[in-house]
Amino acid sequence: MKKTITAAVLFAIGVPMLAVAQSAPVPAVKTGDTWTYVDTFEKAPSVWRQTHDEVTVLRATPSHIYYASKPSGSTQPPNEAIAGADWSRERNVNGAEVVVNRPLAFPLSSGKTWNIDYTELHPNKLHASEKWSTHYRVVDTETVEVPAGKFQAIKVEAEGDWVAQLEPTQTVTQAVQVQQGDTAMVTHAQKTGAVQATGRTYKAIWYVPEIGRWVKSVEEYYASNGVRNERYTSELESFKKGPE
């Protein structure tokens, strides 16, 4: 029998537990657990869009969570993916599987820290390499309000930076030259050496042990001038437990 956990119930059972807990263990997610989020994307100066997305556990092993994601209410086949048991994400970097995002590192306890660092060669046609460094820290418990209601959550913050080496470029210019009655086309090629670009990142995650995932997350990306380029916000709308 499937059960939907309301925010009121979660808040009632979550407050005393989180207030005294010294650590939060790996979540015991199971097949059928479903989270629905409202996701907002902002890109400077004027791009803004919002979607409603559903994440459902297909199966869980001691080391991984297999899940499907799709727009809420969609009849199209969902995207299927694998996450670590801590909801971390791996992908191929320079021919090896590398953890590129670890929002949670269990057991969670106040003050705990961890780092994610990796360098990727030729990630796209413009960059010769990208180096990403992120430092995570469990802040404390905090009350957070989202569309699903009010929750007592464990807050994790992460600050980081990125450095990109741009691929060398070549600029070609052409001009018409007239000399002593003769006309000729002159071509000039100029190479630009490697240029470095930098920026910073900020992330915040509000995790609630009772539902096995976060109820809110924020990711922000800043350019070298300190101006925010992009922000991704995800807030829980509902949570449904799988069959017992």
Side-chain angles (χ1 to χ4, degrees):
M1 177 177 159
K2 294 185 178 180
K3 297 186 290 184
T4 299
I5 295 184
T6 65
V9 173
L10 282 173
F11 187 71
I13 65 176
V15 171
M17 174 184 171
L18 290 177
V20 300
Q22 295 300 310
S23 65
V26 176
V29 300
K30 59 183 182 299
T31 301
D33 286 356
T34 301
W35 303 264
T36 302
Y37 294 91
V38 54
D39 295 319
T40 305
F41 170 68
E42 304 166 72
K43 184 176 178 65
S46 58
V47 176
W48 185 93
R49 65 174 179 267
Q50 195 170 77
T51 59
H52 299 263
D53 303 295
E54 187 178 280
V55 176
T56 301
V57 175
L58 301 175
R59 61 184 177 275
T61 69
S63 58
H64 290 89
I65 299 170
Y66 297 76
Y67 67 96
S69 61
K70 66 174 184 177
S72 183
S74 173
T75 58
Q76 297 298 313
N79 295 318
E80 297 186 13
I82 305 173
D86 54 3
W87 289 108
S88 58
R89 184 168 66 89
E90 293 183 3
R91 65 177 177 83
N92 187 289
V93 176
N94 308 326
E97 289 298 309
V98 174
V99 175
V100 296
N101 186 24
R102 175 167 282 142
L104 307 166
F106 296 99
L108 294 175
S109 56
S110 183
K112 182 176 181 176
T113 63
W114 62 96
N115 296 316
I116 294 294
D117 301 285
Y118 68 94
T119 299
E120 185 171 12
L121 303 177
H122 307 290
N124 54 58
K125 64 180 181 180
L126 298 178
H127 293 172
S129 67
E130 289 179 351
K131 181 180 180 181
W132 294 81
S133 299
T134 309
H135 178 74
Y136 295 81
R137 180 173 66 92
V138 180
V139 180
D140 207 341
T141 58
E142 182 176 293
T143 301
V144 60
E145 190 165 2
V146 295
K150 187 179 291 187
F151 297 86
Q152 189 77 356
I154 299 173
K155 184 179 181 181
V156 176
E157 283 189 311
E159 291 186 291
D161 56 68
W162 57 267
V163 178
Q165 299 292 337
L166 278 60
E167 295 280 11
T169 59
Q170 178 171 289
T171 303
V172 178
T173 58
Q174 291 183 323
V176 176
Q177 186 178 68
V178 179
Q179 187 174 7
Q180 295 180 350
D182 294 328
T183 302
M185 181 68 72
V186 177
T187 301
H188 177 70
Q190 181 177 0
K191 283 189 175 183
T192 302
V195 177
Q196 181 172 285
T198 63
R200 297 196 60 81
T201 61
Y202 171 80
K203 300 178 184 180
I205 303 99
W206 288 263
Y207 172 74
V208 176
E210 290 79 11
I211 67 169
R213 215 165 188 263
W214 48 88
V215 296
K216 182 178 179 179
S217 66
V218 175
E219 292 189 23
E220 297 176 341
Y221 296 87
Y222 294 82
S224 56
N225 59 0
V227 175
R228 177 175 58 81
N229 290 331
E230 297 179 356
R231 176 191 285 141
Y232 301 82
T233 305
S234 185
E235 297 184 324
L236 185 72
E237 291 186 300
S238 65
F239 168 60
K240 182 175 62 177
K241 295 191 71 173
E244 297 294 343

